Amino acid sequence: MNWRCLGRYARFASYSLNFRATLRQTLGDDRLLELMKAKQYDATRAGGVRGVAQVALNSLRQVVNLLAIILLCVMTCLILFQILGRYVFNYSISWSEEAAIFAQVWLVMLGAGIAMRNRNHVGVDILIAMCPTWIQRAAKTASFLLGAWLIVVVIIGSFSLISIGLIVKSAAMQIPLAIPYTALPVGMSYFLLEFAIATLPEIRDPGTDAKQAPDIVQ
Amino acid sequence: MSFAFGGFLLLVFSGMPIVFAMGVAALISIALLTDVPLTIVAQRVYGGVNSFPLMAIPFFVTAGVIMSAGGIARRFVDLAAALVGWITGSLFMVCIVTGTGLAAISGSGSADTAAIGSILAPEMRRRRYNMDLSAAVVAATGSLAPIIPPSIIMVIIAITSNLSIGAMFLGGIIPGFMIAAMLALICWVYAKRGGAAYVDTEQFSLSRLGRTFLRAIPGLTLPIIVVGGIVGGAFTATEAASIALVATLLISLFIYREITFADLPKLFLRSISLSAAVLIIVSTASIFSWLIATLGVAEMLDTWLRSVTSSPIVFLIIVNLLLLCIGMFMESVSAILIVLPVLLPIARSYGIDPVQFGVMAGLNLSIGLITPPYGICLYVATVVFEGRVEKVSRKVWMPLVPMLVVLMLVAYAPPVVLTLPQMFFP
């Protein structure tokens, strides 16, 4: 099989599916665009397996972005309806709070990966930056393995939660609790993916992270 | 238990993101020291975000992000310039007044610092102000945000310690305004002695004040709706936060018209990223706090402290020093989540009011926002002013003085904090 050809096909498919620059500008984050401009991760140039992976990753990120934005809007609307219901229509909606909480669970689990992509997860790397390269590399490797262990433990633990949640129903809406619980494996898998993408290059080449500008608006 | 805390510190200083350090330290302790099945980790991570009061945070963060993009901050600067622009060292005064006003809308310090700094820095440079001191003052006004309501930190303190969010918000008002007033005084004295750069020839103009006030009104109504609504019992904090979000959206889109619908996805995404980073820490920290509760750390520390001192005054000194050190090295949200569940029960047993203690902890960590080595407001101000962290750090003692004085008042004069909460929540 010719991977390069497949890469071009996937690229073409992604463009015809409206993943155009305009959409990327409105939905994608600035830093991703910058990186793409720097040709480092340019999906339109990299052929072969890398190209396919990059197109798949970009599409996944767009889907996650879109989902997260929708969830935030849903949360806001639900709470607004709750207030309007209470004060304007004199009718209190019993399920809005619960629905908003479930949306929040999904939002946070998906958002953890988005925050990883934008380097919004804070850490104290002043001390470690002063150490020689091999210590930095060892510390980064250890912290990646331990972090990945935590995420995997959460994912595995969530399966037993989901199997219970298929039977147990939520208090207000009477929907299976598996619906919010599923946010754990889905969101954490994406988190792990972004964690690996963010950390693995640093392990190979320590010090790249320090050069990255912090997001000013925190 | 020292195992979990020690492991956490080791992990943090080896550069691990705090979200993992907190969870991993707890996970190792659970795996090695207890026979609890590891499913508890997933349960706690879910339970950590399965909370309605916590939802105030994404709403407040989104409101803050939209505010700084949507022109509300600039209207506040204009109003402040009309209000105090005629005083010696006017730009310092403008900065402090704006900072206090913005703190009353947004909940996070670094966003305010960035907003004020990026507007005032060019003007301060043009007028030949001392740029390092200016950066320090801007950072300090930004760090008022967690003290003056609404505040994300206060929401988290209230949730972790089962306090009323409204009472915590009210408790921060007087200390916040005291810091702002003292900061203004210090800057005024400095400007009086500072020479020609700080002299202002501009006259106070009532018509200009009225004009800028009219333009700032939409933004000014926000704190009244939010704080008034919560305190008056009309809304919960989460509902008030959602109103703040919708109001900032409407103001920015239709009244000030500085952003369009096309900008919204990007702004939302930024706020999702920022608030998820906070909430996922809350989530992994809840594994840690579960461990603290199960192992009975608070009781152990309590008996130990009792054997050292029985005086609340000494206890408060110890706690303040501890919190100041923590604030210097750690980010506030995770610091609260780790320290408060341990310290608050002890403070209660010493007869200290929990609201007073919570505000004191919040103030300590706000001071940590402007102290090196880990002071996010200081860094943001330095970046905006294009300065150097070492130089700005050398000037930071000036804004630190009022904060430390107010901290002592908060610790040893409870009415400073408690007057307002007791008035509304007797």
Side-chain angles (χ1 to χ4, degrees), chain B residues 339-360:
Chain B
V339 171
L340 224 59
V342 181
L343 288 185
L344 199 84
I346 306 178
R348 271 207 178 103
S349 77
Y350 274 95
I352 298 161
D353 188 279
V355 172
Q356 181 203 351
F357 193 79
V359 171
M360 194 189 83

Side-chain angles (χ1 to χ4, degrees), chain B residues 24-290:
Chain B
V24 167
L27 178 57
I28 294 177
S29 316
I30 292 174
L32 295 183
L33 305 178
T34 68
D35 347 310
V36 184
L38 289 183
T39 326
I40 185 75
V41 175
Q43 263 170 36
R44 296 304 308 180
V45 166
Y46 177 82
V49 286
N50 182 16
S51 147
F52 187 66
L54 213 54
M55 208 181 291
I57 293 171
F59 291 152
F60 276 137
V61 170
T62 314
V65 166
I66 290 169
M67 213 178 56
S68 52
I72 295 183
R74 211 161 46 74
R75 262 73 173 190
F76 272 38
V77 172
D78 290 345
L79 174 63
L83 195 66
V84 291
W86 47 277
I87 302 172
T88 311
S90 60
L91 290 178
F92 287 140
M93 304 299 149
V94 170
C95 158
I96 293 163
V97 171
T98 316
T100 316
L102 280 186
I105 298 187
S106 89
S108 98
S110 41
D112 288 2
T113 312
I116 305 166
S118 51
I119 297 171
L120 286 180
E123 186 65 14
M124 284 172 154
R125 181 168 292 118
R126 198 181 61 78
R127 301 256 313 252
R128 292 172 194 283
Y129 271 47
N130 181 329
M131 289 308 273
D132 294 330
L133 178 65
S134 304
V137 171
V138 167
T141 52
S143 76
L144 287 176
I147 310 168
I148 297 177
S151 138
I152 292 167
I153 295 296
M154 294 290 190
V155 171
I156 291 181
I157 292 178
I159 292 172
T160 48
S161 345
N162 275 327
L163 301 169
S164 138
I165 295 181
M168 286 299 298
F169 277 5
L170 285 176
I173 292 181
I174 295 180
F177 280 101
M178 282 172 84
I179 294 175
M182 286 166 74
L183 192 58
L185 188 68
I186 287 187
C187 287
W188 183 76
V189 171
Y190 177 86
K192 272 281 178 202
R193 300 171 54 196
Y198 302 101
V199 178
D200 278 271
T201 48
E202 200 178 315
Q203 292 291 310
F204 177 75
S205 143
L206 200 63
S207 68
R208 183 174 164 220
L209 181 65
R211 213 167 48 241
T212 50
F213 178 73
L214 277 181
R215 258 184 248 141
I217 277 185
L220 287 172
T221 51
L222 277 175
I224 299 168
I225 299 173
V226 170
V227 180
I230 297 173
V231 171
F235 316 121
T236 60
T238 306
E239 291 171 344
S242 78
I243 291 180
L245 164 56
V246 174
T248 33
L249 259 180
L250 294 180
I251 293 170
S252 308
L253 281 173
F254 300 117
I255 300 181
Y256 294 159
R257 292 190 190 162
E258 294 204 1
I259 55 172
T260 60
F261 277 101
D263 299 323
L264 289 185
K266 209 159 140 188
L267 294 173
F268 278 170
L269 216 60
R270 175 178 290 163
S271 80
I272 287 167
S273 179
L274 295 171
S275 45
V278 173
L279 292 181
I280 198 76
I281 288 181
V282 174
S283 190
T284 52
S286 71
I287 314 172
F288 206 88
S289 48
W290 174 83

Side-chain angles (χ1 to χ4, degrees), chain A residues 27 82 86-87 104 120 122, chain B residues 18 49 51 108 234 239 269 273:
Chain A
L27 289 182
Q82 179 175 319
R86 197 165 66 227
Y87 285 105
Q104 167 172 265
N120 283 139
V122 287
Chain B
I18 284 168
V49 286
S51 147
S108 98
E239 291 171 344
L269 216 60
S273 179

Side-chain angles (χ1 to χ4, degrees), chain A residues 3-42:
Chain A
W3 285 106
R4 191 167 289 273
C5 182
L6 191 65
R8 278 204 205 103
Y9 175 72
R11 207 157 59 234
F12 174 74
S14 84
Y15 275 99
S16 55
L17 280 170
N18 259 345
F19 286 111
R20 284 165 310 173
T22 44
L23 193 67
R24 207 154 47 204
Q25 251 158 3
T26 43
L27 289 182
D29 53 315
D30 307 347
R31 193 160 292 139
L32 190 68
L33 268 177
E34 274 165 33
L35 285 173
M36 292 177 87
K37 270 183 198 150
K39 292 176 193 167
Q40 209 173 346
Y41 294 100
D42 194 340

Side-chain angles (χ1 to χ4, degrees), chain A residues 152-173:
Chain A
V152 170
V153 166
V154 174
I155 294 176
I156 293 173
S158 69
F159 291 138
S160 66
L161 281 183
I162 291 174
S163 62
I164 302 168
L166 284 172
I167 307 158
V168 184
K169 297 221 158 59
S170 73
M173 289 190 292

